[in-house]
Amino acid sequence: MSTTSTTGTAAVALAPEARATSGNARAYVLYVAGKLGGAAISLLAVLVTSFFLFRIIPGDPVKAMTHGAPTSSEQLAALRRQFGLDQPMWQQFTDYCGKALTGDLGTSYQFHAPVGDLITQKLPATLLLTGVAVVIYSTIGLWLGTRSAWRHGSLGDRLNTGVALTLWSVPSFWLGLLLIITFSVGVGPIPGLFPTGGMESGDTTGFAYLVDVAHHMVLPVITLVAVGYAQTLLVMRSSLLDEMGNDYLTTARAKGLRDDVVRRRHAVPNALLPTVTMVFINLGHVAAGSILVETVFSWPGLGGLFYQALSVPDLPLVQGLFVVFAGAMILMNLAADLLYPLLDPRVGR
């Protein structure tokens, strides 16, 4: 009788815990489903926007394809029929959406090649340049932002914050031009140390090729890092400052924990959510690259390709690149949203 009673009491005690676990799992599933649904709707909105947005750009893409050569009205009409530009707008839109949903982004007007193939060719250069820059400036920004917040009001904090605010307000293309003038062309006693643009010299192989590419990357990477780290630093500093007044840090110190341990194990993890969003947004920019920086340094990536397409305008190529850029941002935001509950269990409940 006593054994039965004890077993029943244990079962009753375990029931609330089991219900709580089941409720948390169900809440997380609903949270993930909501985020996936939101990402799908955003991608559809990007698809619609990419079609109509670039059709308000001045200029006739068919005339641009002739490069100013004398062309009869019959030839222009034939080109319009060839690229489907003579069809009603609604039919162009439905054709575009139908093909895009199957992965067909159309054929470039100026390159006469599939847009998907052009993006695939240029993507590695952009991933290399912006990927290296994102890793560097995210690391620097997180480290300096943490140090500045933990010692807020100090000389180092004021110096870091002042430099970050200055660099954040500097246009990236202007900073890139200054670096080219100073370190590529040379100013006064400073000789020209780096190439003015491009990704390679074209006459190297093997290890010398890797060194040559790294040499060409120095100035564009410095430009991206100088502008990007400032934003990460300021977000991390602000987030950590909000955490520093909380009672749990006072309790941790009262237990005798060293200041570095309190910062590293307690304060920083709780301050990471806004910074995680920033890091994932930066990862989304890896696919987009930096149009202005790639253009200034003649870097053969997606940013330079977008600038070329926009100048025509090459509608299929511009639309395809816009979908890739915006899609990367949406997917990285989705990844950050799905990571939040692992960093803070309160999210999604």
Side-chain angles (χ1 to χ4, degrees):
M1 183 70 178
S2 176
T3 304
T4 304
S5 176
T6 303
T7 303
T9 303
V12 171
L14 290 174
E17 182 179 349
R19 285 197 298 270
T21 302
S22 175
N24 291 340
R26 184 165 55 252
Y28 182 70
V29 170
L30 292 175
Y31 172 80
V32 171
K35 295 299 179 182
L36 290 174
I41 293 173
S42 297
L43 286 172
L44 288 175
V46 165
L47 203 62
V48 174
T49 303
S50 67
F51 179 83
F52 292 103
L53 178 63
F54 299 106
R55 276 165 171 73
I56 64 176
I57 299 175
D60 186 345
V62 173
K63 290 183 177 179
M65 281 186 282
T66 63
H67 303 288
T71 309
S72 66
S73 57
E74 290 79 8
Q75 291 172 316
L76 292 176
L79 285 173
R80 289 192 174 88
R81 283 194 303 272
Q82 179 182 347
F83 292 104
L85 295 175
D86 61 331
Q87 298 175 350
M89 187 65 68
W90 67 267
Q91 188 172 349
Q92 294 183 44
F93 174 69
T94 54
D95 290 345
Y96 165 70
C97 289
K99 291 180 179 179
L101 291 175
T102 62
D104 183 3
L105 297 176
T107 302
S108 168
Y109 294 163
Q110 56 181 325
F111 296 105
H112 303 286
V115 169
D117 292 347
L118 292 172
I119 293 175
T120 303
Q121 292 170 11
K122 299 292 185 179
L123 184 60
T126 291
L127 293 180
L128 175 64
L129 177 65
T130 56
V132 169
V134 165
V135 170
I136 293 174
Y137 71 63
S138 295
T139 303
I140 295 174
L142 287 171
W143 183 72
L144 288 179
T146 301
R147 296 286 175 175
S148 293
W150 206 249
R151 298 182 176 89
H152 64 283
S154 65
L155 176 61
D157 175 38
R158 293 197 298 270
L159 181 62
N160 283 332
T161 305
V163 172
L165 286 171
T166 302
L167 290 175
W168 198 7
S169 62
V170 171
S172 57
F173 73 91
W174 182 78
L175 180 59
L177 290 173
L178 284 183
L179 291 176
I180 289 175
I181 293 171
T182 305
F183 297 105
S184 293
V185 179
V187 175
I190 303 177
L193 300 174
F194 300 100
T196 56
M199 182 176 173
E200 56 181 296
S201 300
D203 55 357
T204 56
T205 57
F207 181 73
Y209 171 77
L210 298 179
V211 173
D212 183 44
V213 172
H215 191 216
H216 283 75
M217 286 177 60
V218 171
L219 292 185
V221 166
I222 289 176
T223 304
L224 292 172
V225 168
V227 176
Y229 100 93
Q231 187 176 20
T232 308
L233 182 152
L234 294 171
V235 170
M236 185 62 194
R237 180 182 181 276
S238 175
S239 180
L240 187 53
L241 283 175
D242 289 341
E243 293 292 328
M244 287 176 61
N246 289 334
D247 293 337
Y248 70 89
L249 296 182
T250 304
T251 303
R253 291 190 181 94
K255 291 180 178 179
L257 296 180
R258 290 184 293 108
D259 200 53
D260 285 346
V261 175
V262 173
R263 182 188 72 240
R264 188 171 61 252
R265 295 185 181 177
H266 297 276
V268 171
N270 285 289
L272 276 179
L273 287 185
T275 312
V276 165
T277 302
M278 183 63 59
V279 170
F280 274 89
I281 288 175
N282 291 338
L283 290 175
H285 281 305
V286 169
S290 178
I291 297 173
L292 295 176
V293 172
E294 287 192 11
T295 302
V296 167
F297 288 97
S298 302
W299 190 263
L302 295 182
L305 185 64
F306 186 80
Y307 177 79
Q308 287 180 285
L310 202 58
S311 62
V312 172
D314 188 338
L315 294 179
L317 185 53
V318 170
Q319 291 168 178
L321 287 168
F322 182 82
V323 169
V324 170
F325 295 165
M329 295 296 298
I330 292 171
L331 292 178
M332 286 300 102
N333 275 299
L334 174 63
D337 288 336
L338 297 182
L339 183 62
Y340 283 168
L342 303 179
L343 298 175
D344 188 347
R346 296 170 297 179
V347 176
R349 291 186 179 179

